[in-house]
Amino acid sequence: MQNLVIYNTLHRQKERFQPIAAPNVGMYVCGPTVYGDPHLGHARPSITFDILFRYLQHIGYKVRYVRNITDVGHLEHDADEGDDKIEKKARLEQLEPMEIAQHYTNRYHDAMRMLNVLPPSIEPHATGHIIEQEELVKEILKNGYAYESNGSIYFDVAKYDKDHHYGVLSGRNLNDMINNSRELAGVGEKKNQADFALWKRAMPEHIMRWPSPWGDGFPGWHCECTAMGRKYLGNHFDIHGGGLDLVFPHHECEIAQAVASQGEDMVKYWMHNNMITINGQKMGKSLNNFITLEQFFTGNHKTLDQAYSPMTIRFFILSAHYRGTVDFSNEALQAAQKGYERLMNGIEDLNRIPTAGASDDNTRLFVSGLRQKCYDAMNDDLMTPAVISLLFEACHVVNLLIDHKAQISADDLKELSDTMTLFTFNILGLKNERSANNDAREEAFGKVVDMVLDLRAKAKAEKNWAVSDQIRDALAEAGFQVKDTKDGVTWKLDK
């Protein structure tokens, strides 16, 4: 197995990945709250942890990947007040909440398939695990870290902080949080404004409700991931992932719930991808500055200059390291489109490379080191931009070989081809979007071009340079690159 190093948000440093029970790996990633169409901000964590899922499996681990669906409990503004996001949408559209949840879950799945994101091993829904969440609340109450108030149950952050440390993941200090909200302290049902809901009493108008020892209600947002992670991955598992915006309060509260219920955190490595931004501001539904994935795919949004294919979006996200910010712009997406097409062209051109008895020194040296360099980049906290850069170098070598400016043996060509396809398709998860119809059309184009080039060759043999140049220029105008080499003529269709 490769020596993978990943950044652990908990310790703020890169650490060698050593699973609790190798070769088994447990990974939990926070999925979407399904009350609207998936947008570019949803694509980034999905693709980031898809890469991790793919790579862990590739290097020999048996991965149980759990990614949840939040279909209850996520209130507006991520606070303990306001409407449930799904219930509010249901009221607006005069539908059942589960109709809303199912519709947008289906939409999310459709978008993930288009982005070539692998499905998780298990996809639990919050509404399907109410009993587990109630049991979690009972354990926290039993251990003295929660209290009941007017039919709701709240986590007692101040009491927990005396025995443990609330803020271990986010680096926040409880006293600072209390001082910053001192004017609100003690208001309402909570002892302290920093306390968060484990169970909320359902008001008479609240549609989504379940019976509990404390009366009809619904679970707090933070409970679901702790309860479902423990159910499917055990009291201790390897990786918990999500967007950087979940570090506080969601993941901080998850740690507090785990420690309060079982005495210690469940998670060994906490991993977080950074945000997609627009003009430096986080893209999200709450800020109403998002562009849905469907709008990207169709180009139907006022800020888009054109439509962008799913693989262009995937390439765009992978072109930046997952812990770095990515700022949306049409220019950046157009550059990603060109980069993706360059890589696909390079892989297609592998079939056009002539082989020699032996590789030249530079080619042999490059090919022999390419695979390990790609592994080294992936092992360094999933450095996908470095992998893409190496694949671009490989495309340059491919062009040299086609232009007869370098030579390669059959064995080295196989190694080059295997490495490029492995990292492009299996690990980065890209796919060639050109349809079978396009391939057939290009094959037909090829036959026509070959016939035209035969006519050009005949004109050159007859020293009819004017006709020869006219044919070459006409092909160039139609999008075909024609090159005369010492070994004959080559051509290439600009994509």
Side-chain angles (χ1 to χ4, degrees), residues 287-299:
L287 298 171
N288 199 32
N289 66 347
F290 63 93
I291 305 173
T292 69
L293 291 171
E294 182 181 51
Q295 288 169 329
F296 275 106
F297 301 158
T298 62

Side-chain angles (χ1 to χ4, degrees), residues 264-288:
E264 55 188 339
D265 189 11
M266 298 188 299
V267 180
K268 187 173 182 180
Y269 302 96
W270 285 89
M271 295 181 67
H272 296 90
N273 64 273
N274 214 320
M275 300 293 97
I276 299 280
T277 59
I278 296 181
N279 298 322
Q281 188 178 40
K282 173 200 164 187
M283 177 182 286
K285 289 191 179 76
S286 60
L287 298 171
N288 199 32

Side-chain angles (χ1 to χ4, degrees), residues 378-421:
M378 289 299 297
N379 290 335
D380 184 13
D381 196 29
L382 310 180
M383 195 64 70
T384 56
V387 175
I388 290 172
S389 178
L390 287 163
L391 292 172
F392 280 166
E393 288 184 43
C395 291
H396 175 67
V397 170
V398 167
N399 289 334
L400 291 176
L401 292 165
I402 288 176
D403 291 344
H404 303 281
K405 295 177 180 177
Q407 64 182 34
I408 191 169
S409 68
D411 287 345
D412 283 346
L413 178 57
K414 184 179 185 305
E415 171 62 16
L416 177 62
S417 178
D418 289 350
T419 301
M420 289 183 71
T421 54

Side-chain angles (χ1 to χ4, degrees), residues 167-459:
V168 65
L169 184 67
S170 62
R172 300 193 182 203
N173 180 279
L174 180 59
N175 288 331
D176 291 341
M177 285 186 274
I178 292 174
N179 290 335
N180 289 337
S181 60
R182 185 178 297 277
E183 69 279 6
L184 298 175
V187 174
E189 298 178 342
K190 301 180 183 181
K191 292 180 180 179
N192 190 303
Q193 279 303 114
D195 296 348
F196 57 90
L198 298 172
W199 183 265
K200 287 284 286 183
R201 178 174 68 95
M203 302 302 288
E205 68 275 10
H206 203 91
I207 304 170
M208 303 175 78
R209 59 173 65 221
W210 290 264
S212 80
W214 319 287
D216 284 1
F218 56 93
W221 174 38
H222 311 303
C223 285
E224 63 178 281
C225 293
T226 304
M228 294 189 294
R230 183 161 63 182
K231 177 179 177 66
Y232 294 110
L233 299 174
N235 290 349
H236 300 93
F237 57 89
D238 300 297
I239 298 168
H240 194 317
L244 194 63
D245 56 334
L246 296 179
V247 170
F248 188 88
H250 189 48
H251 289 166
E252 192 72 73
C253 293
E254 278 195 62
I255 291 176
Q257 290 170 158
V259 175
S261 62
Q262 66 182 37
E264 55 188 339
D265 189 11
M266 298 188 299
V267 180
K268 187 173 182 180
Y269 302 96
W270 285 89
M271 295 181 67
H272 296 90
N273 64 273
N274 214 320
M275 300 293 97
I276 299 280
T277 59
I278 296 181
N279 298 322
Q281 188 178 40
K282 173 200 164 187
M283 177 182 286
K285 289 191 179 76
S286 60
L287 298 171
N288 199 32
N289 66 347
F290 63 93
I291 305 173
T292 69
L293 291 171
E294 182 181 51
Q295 288 169 329
F296 275 106
F297 301 158
T298 62
N300 185 25
H301 192 278
K302 62 182 179 181
T303 63
L304 297 177
D305 292 343
Q306 63 179 77
Y308 299 99
S309 73
M311 287 302 100
T312 296
I313 298 297
R314 187 175 179 105
F315 191 93
F316 169 66
I317 289 172
L318 295 179
S319 296
H321 188 249
Y322 77 91
R323 288 193 288 113
T325 56
V326 175
D327 198 51
F328 157 79
S329 70
N330 280 285
E331 292 76 15
L333 281 167
Q334 288 160 9
Q337 182 177 6
K338 290 178 181 177
Y340 165 72
E341 290 174 351
R342 178 185 174 191
L343 183 53
M344 292 302 106
N345 288 339
I347 289 175
E348 288 177 357
D349 285 344
L350 287 165
N351 296 321
R352 299 175 53 210
I353 295 174
T355 58
S359 302
D360 62 77
D361 290 344
N362 288 339
T363 301
R364 183 175 62 253
L365 185 63
F366 175 80
V367 172
S368 65
L370 178 61
R371 185 183 295 256
Q372 190 55 53
K373 287 180 179 178
C374 288
Y375 276 127
D376 290 344
M378 289 299 297
N379 290 335
D380 184 13
D381 196 29
L382 310 180
M383 195 64 70
T384 56
V387 175
I388 290 172
S389 178
L390 287 163
L391 292 172
F392 280 166
E393 288 184 43
C395 291
H396 175 67
V397 170
V398 167
N399 289 334
L400 291 176
L401 292 165
I402 288 176
D403 291 344
H404 303 281
K405 295 177 180 177
Q407 64 182 34
I408 191 169
S409 68
D411 287 345
D412 283 346
L413 178 57
K414 184 179 185 305
E415 171 62 16
L416 177 62
S417 178
D418 289 350
T419 301
M420 289 183 71
T421 54
L422 167 66
F423 282 91
T424 299
F425 300 127
N426 294 15
I427 293 175
L428 294 185
L430 295 166
K431 61 182 180 180
N432 195 331
E433 290 175 319
R434 293 161 186 163
S435 67
N437 288 338
N438 285 339
D439 291 340
R441 185 165 63 248
E442 287 179 16
E443 184 179 353
F445 283 160
K447 291 179 180 179
V448 172
V449 173
D450 287 340
M451 182 178 67
V452 172
L453 288 176
D454 285 342
L455 294 174
R456 180 171 178 261
K458 184 178 179 181

